[in-house]
Amino acid sequence: MNDSLRIEQRGAIWLGEFRAMASPCEVHLELRSKQLARQLMVLAQKEALRIERLFSRYRDDNVIHRINTANGKTITVDEETARMLDFADSCFHASDGLFDVTSGVLREVWKFDGSDNVPAAAQVEPLLERIGWQRVTWENPHVSLPAGMQIDLGGIGKEYAVDRVLALLRDRSPGACLVNFGGDLHASAAPEATGAWTVGIESRRVDGATASSLQLQRGALTTSGDARRYLLKEGVRYSHVLNPQTGWPVADAPAAVTVAGNTCIEAGIMSTLALLHGADAEAFLDSHEAHYWVQR
């Protein structure tokens, strides 16, 4: 595993890089000790890969696979999975069903690879019968899905991993830490050397991709948008964020939404839900008194 971990020093900061959850992962540590930096980087990589193994929908040896292949039978889950399902349940109800971890079945017809392969309505509509958290029986720690339904924790798993890794590092590192998994990040404190972390925010414009930056001292930032995952057909750009109630991308959604929060998982939910509110994204964020940046 450690062969895929790259570590280098940049001034007062140690940078560790690896891949997990189909994303480039970075860990930044302000430390003097190279030995401690390496130990913490290995710890971060192990934790990220552990969470990926636990929650990935692509594996056949974890709790998600057991739930999705139970064919209606009840599955007893571990405490960590139970916390995730509790969070998914609260997000579903707080969003009036816009956030739904059973909507992953839509990937069977939606492939956001930058092509013009937009599915037909006749392909999307049958999948709606297999979506709906309200159809799931969840009584901690027991869960049962109707046959044919699945759960997919991809919408919160990476953000959860960022928060978990940062918590482990913060308990063990005397210096400031920043964890960045695929653009979702969380900082424990500002580095003494510079007073803040410089964070780039990817954007999409008609004249090509550009980036802006901001100074982050502590807290989390997440960005949801269609800069990398989209379809483009007849001049219409289709975002990868799908409305679980219709099976289609939301019209008039921002190109990207970046939200600041106390934790990565909470900021991630807010940025995703903002996209799902389409033209009302800013109004939604304002109603929750969120700190945000919207690109249209």
Side-chain angles (χ1 to χ4, degrees):
M1 176 184 66
N2 293 341
D3 291 342
S4 63
L5 174 62
R6 297 181 299 276
I7 302 175
E8 64 176 283
Q9 188 174 19
R10 296 181 179 179
I13 305 296
W14 290 95
L15 168 65
E17 297 178 302
F18 55 91
R19 286 194 66 83
M21 294 164 282
S23 299
C25 300
E26 297 180 350
V27 175
H28 303 256
L29 299 172
E30 188 176 41
L31 290 173
R32 294 182 181 273
S33 169
K34 178 179 180 179
Q35 181 180 3
L36 179 57
R38 179 165 185 82
Q39 290 174 352
L40 294 180
M41 298 297 186
V42 170
L43 177 67
Q45 183 188 33
K46 286 183 176 179
E47 180 65 2
L49 293 176
R50 182 193 71 82
I51 293 172
E52 179 178 17
R53 287 192 297 270
L54 181 60
F55 295 132
S56 172
R57 67 174 185 258
Y58 298 109
R59 299 181 67 94
D60 61 5
D61 59 354
N62 62 11
V63 64
I64 302 302
H65 180 76
R66 294 199 302 275
I67 293 170
N68 289 344
T69 58
N71 200 32
K73 296 180 181 179
T74 298
I75 299 296
T76 301
V77 304
D78 59 276
E79 183 178 346
E80 189 171 19
T81 302
R83 290 197 301 269
M84 293 289 274
L85 293 180
D86 276 340
F87 184 70
D89 178 73
S90 65
C91 290
F92 174 81
H93 292 290
S95 68
D96 294 325
L98 278 181
F99 183 85
D100 192 327
V101 295
T102 69
S103 64
V105 295
L106 291 168
R107 67 180 178 273
E108 294 178 13
V109 297
W110 287 99
K111 312 292 184 183
F112 293 97
D113 55 6
S115 70
D116 63 352
N117 296 322
V118 177
Q123 294 175 280
V124 175
E125 189 171 352
L127 295 176
L128 299 180
E129 299 176 1
R130 297 164 55 194
I131 298 172
W133 177 256
Q134 72 277 8
R135 303 175 189 174
V136 175
T137 301
W138 167 236
E139 296 178 0
N140 191 344
H142 307 295
V143 62
S144 175
L145 274 64
M149 289 185 63
Q150 301 177 12
I151 63 168
D152 179 356
L153 298 180
I156 52 178
K158 180 155 61 75
E159 293 84 353
Y160 170 73
V162 170
D163 290 335
R164 277 286 305 164
V165 168
L166 184 77
L168 290 177
L169 297 177
R170 187 167 47 201
D171 290 342
R172 293 164 175 81
S173 174
C177 316
L178 183 144
V179 178
N180 176 6
F181 291 176
D184 295 327
L185 56 92
H186 194 168
S188 65
E192 292 183 3
T194 58
W197 302 97
T198 300
V199 178
I201 300 177
E202 187 176 48
S203 64
R204 173 178 60 80
R205 299 169 54 122
V206 294
D207 57 352
T210 63
S212 56
S213 64
L214 55 85
Q215 301 299 303
L216 176 69
Q217 293 184 322
R218 67 173 60 210
L221 284 175
T222 64
T223 299
S224 298
D226 64 3
R228 297 184 180 273
R229 297 178 59 199
Y230 63 92
L231 294 176
L232 186 63
K233 184 174 184 177
E234 298 176 354
V236 178
R237 193 179 182 102
Y238 295 83
S239 168
H240 75 280
V241 178
L242 300 169
N243 185 328
Q245 297 166 351
T246 67
W248 288 81
V250 179
D252 300 321
V257 176
T258 299
V259 175
N262 293 321
T263 66
C264 203
I265 197 168
E266 292 176 0
I269 286 293
M270 292 298 292
S271 59
T272 298
L273 288 178
L275 285 184
L276 286 166
H277 278 79
D280 297 324
E282 291 89 344
F284 165 78
L285 292 165
D286 287 337
S287 71
H288 287 80
E289 300 181 344
H291 297 284
Y292 67 88
W293 298 261
V294 169
Q295 302 169 25
R296 288 194 177 272

